[in-house]
């Protein structure tokens, strides 16, 4: 069985939903994971912000605008009145729930319930569309099998067990539908896999079912060798290894949620990125195999903060880095890049929630310098296998760019450099001109 995930734009209008229906109804059995219609999760976040600020009126006006949008969708999506009524009932139920949240003390669990509504609506409306068009379809509620543990990490064991029980007790049909993004936490409350998490759902479900392939359908042909939003002349990449794709996804390629690759890699399930608007294209295939050697792609990750700790006492002191890392561990803040010298250590983080606390605790070691608004530029490929001279080509290409940090050799698949975000676009373009499109 294949698992296919369609993103927000792919289900973003009645016309696109019909396109998705056409793509999936080829007679092969599959499980389809859907995102919320594009824009919906953003609106739900906005509603939640207003409710946290106790501005029920502002929340109601966003709810009203969202509801108007869905009333239109329902009207255009179905032909028969009978189905229009069923669709309207879904909308009435969900918006009744959202309205209800505006007249109570709003807490973080209410927020998670609110955020879950986008996927709950899109999957119910889509299932009705399939039924109206004569396709036997089963909606499998993700809240019945998607689980995270106490640390909010995916609970693969629970997902596997619950999903196989559900599949065993569900009528055998060709088309199964489920919600991306949403799950329950270790205590059974509604939770989610963080923004963009529907890709991750597809990968977890694919791994749980031992799927033949996991397909992520978006509105672009696949991974490009550079970011098409900032650079001219990017090219689609036909094939990537799991390692290369994981580096690209983690370091900024917006096409894929960064955690998506991991469950697929563990079970060795191919991941294919496809374009809903251009289904004939082969997309990007991600497997254990990488085609060719050398540099494949670059990506950028914004919102990076660099922290430099300069310490006289670091000289010859073992245990120093351990104590530095413990500060980050205390504040549950992951470190992305790190470079050291005898007198200083520089590292980067992207989660600045506890920056102040981290900064003041680090002062015990020496001087602390913090630079915000930085970007990690990640250069990915099968780099080490390429003969010598690779690093010098990269550094020549970056001549004139103010580089703050360099990380090389951490894995054979990437070289990362840290630059001010104001230099991101030039850096990406230069790398395209001098390394990718020579
Ligand atoms: N709807 C969620 C979001 O917008 C999850 C997803 O689309 O992947 O973040
Ligand atoms: Mg996405």
């Amino acid at each position: 069985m294949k698992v296919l995930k369609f993103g927000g734009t792919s289900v973003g209008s009645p016309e696109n939903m019909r396109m998705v229906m056409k793509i999936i109804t080829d007679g092969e059995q599959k499980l389809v994971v859907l995102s919320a219609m594009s824009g919906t999760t953003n609106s739900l976040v906005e509603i939640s912000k207003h409710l946290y600020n106790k501005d029920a009126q502002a929340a109601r006006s966003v709810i009203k605008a969202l509801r108007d949008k869905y009333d239109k969708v329902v009207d255009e999506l179905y032909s028969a009145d009978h189905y229009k009524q069923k669709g309207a009932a879904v909308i009435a139920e969900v918006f009744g729930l959202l309205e209800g949240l505006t007249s109570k003390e709003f807490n973080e669990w209410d927020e998670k319930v609110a955020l879950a509504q986008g996927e709950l609506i899109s999957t119910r409306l889509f299932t009705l569309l399939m039924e109206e068009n004569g396709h036997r379809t089963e909606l499998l509620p993700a809240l019945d099998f998607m689980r995270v543990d106490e640390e909010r990490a995916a609970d693969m064991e629970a997902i596997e067990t619950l999903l196989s029980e559900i599949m065993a007790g569900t009528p055998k049909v060709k088309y199964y539908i489920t919600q991306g993004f949403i799950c329950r936490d270790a205590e059974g409350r509604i939770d989610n896999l963080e923004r963009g998490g529907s890709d991750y759902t597809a990968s977890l479900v694919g791994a749980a079912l031992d799927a033949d392939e996991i397909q992520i359908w978006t509105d672009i042909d696949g991974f490009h060798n550079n970011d098409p939003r900032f650079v001219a002349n990017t090219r689609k990449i036909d094939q990537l290894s799991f390692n290369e794709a994981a580096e690209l996804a983690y370091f900024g390629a917006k096409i894929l949620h960064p955690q998506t690759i991991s469950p697929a890699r563990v079970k060795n399930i191919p991941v294919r990125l496809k374009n809903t608007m251009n289904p004939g294209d082969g997309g990007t295939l991600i497997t254990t195999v990488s085609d060719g050697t050398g540099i494949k792609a670059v990506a950028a990750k914004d919102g990076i903060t660099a922290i430099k700790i300069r310490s006289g006492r670091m000289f010859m002191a073992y245990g120093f880095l351990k104590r530095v890392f413990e500060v980050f561990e205390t504040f549950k803040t992951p470190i992305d890049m790190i470079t050291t010298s005898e007198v200083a250590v520089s590292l980067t983080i992207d989660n600045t929630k506890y920056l102040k606390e981290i900064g003041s605790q680090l002062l015990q070691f020496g001087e602390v310098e913090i630079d915000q608004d930085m970007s990690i530029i990640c250069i990915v490929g099968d780099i080490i296998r390429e003969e010598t001279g690779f690093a010098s080509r990269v550094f020549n290409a970056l001549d004139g760019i103010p580089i703050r940090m360099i990380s090389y050799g951490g894995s054979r698949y990437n070289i990362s450099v840290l630059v001010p975000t104001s230099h991101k676009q030039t850096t990406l373009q230069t790398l395209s001109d001098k390394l990718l499109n020579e």
Side-chain angles (χ1 to χ4, degrees), residues 5-8 34-37 39-42 115 118-119 180-181 194-199 257:
K5 177 261 171 177
F6 291 85
L34 299 182
S35 283
M37 293 182 79
T40 300
T41 312
N42 286 344
L115 292 193
E119 274 72 11
F181 179 58
E194 309 274 339
R195 295 303 306 272
S198 294
D199 297 344
H257 182 276

Side-chain angles (χ1 to χ4, degrees), residues 71-145:
D71 287 341
K72 260 201 220 106
V73 168
V74 165
D75 200 46
E76 288 171 27
L77 192 56
Y78 309 108
S79 318
D81 278 346
H82 174 53
Y83 275 92
K84 285 185 203 269
Q85 277 158 22
K86 284 189 180 196
V90 171
I91 300 307
E93 188 189 317
V94 169
F95 282 85
L97 181 147
L98 290 174
E99 276 291 334
L101 294 175
T102 64
S103 46
K104 70 184 283 290
E105 191 72 25
F106 193 74
N107 62 33
E108 92 181 89
W109 310 116
D110 296 321
E111 179 183 10
K112 287 175 174 169
V113 169
L115 292 193
Q117 300 310 313
E119 274 72 11
L120 291 168
I121 305 181
S122 66
T123 47
R124 289 173 76 183
L125 294 185
F126 187 78
T127 304
L128 287 173
L129 176 71
M130 292 283 284
E131 284 169 10
E132 180 173 37
N133 287 273
H135 304 295
R136 280 194 62 211
T137 306
E138 278 292 321
L139 178 58
L140 307 176
L143 296 179
D144 290 352
F145 60 88

Side-chain angles (χ1 to χ4, degrees), residues 348-362:
T348 71
I349 58 172
D350 70 348
N351 180 350
T352 50
K353 191 168 170 196
Y354 298 109
L355 182 59
K356 248 171 96 188
E357 291 85 343
I358 289 172
S360 64
Q361 289 224 358
L362 289 174

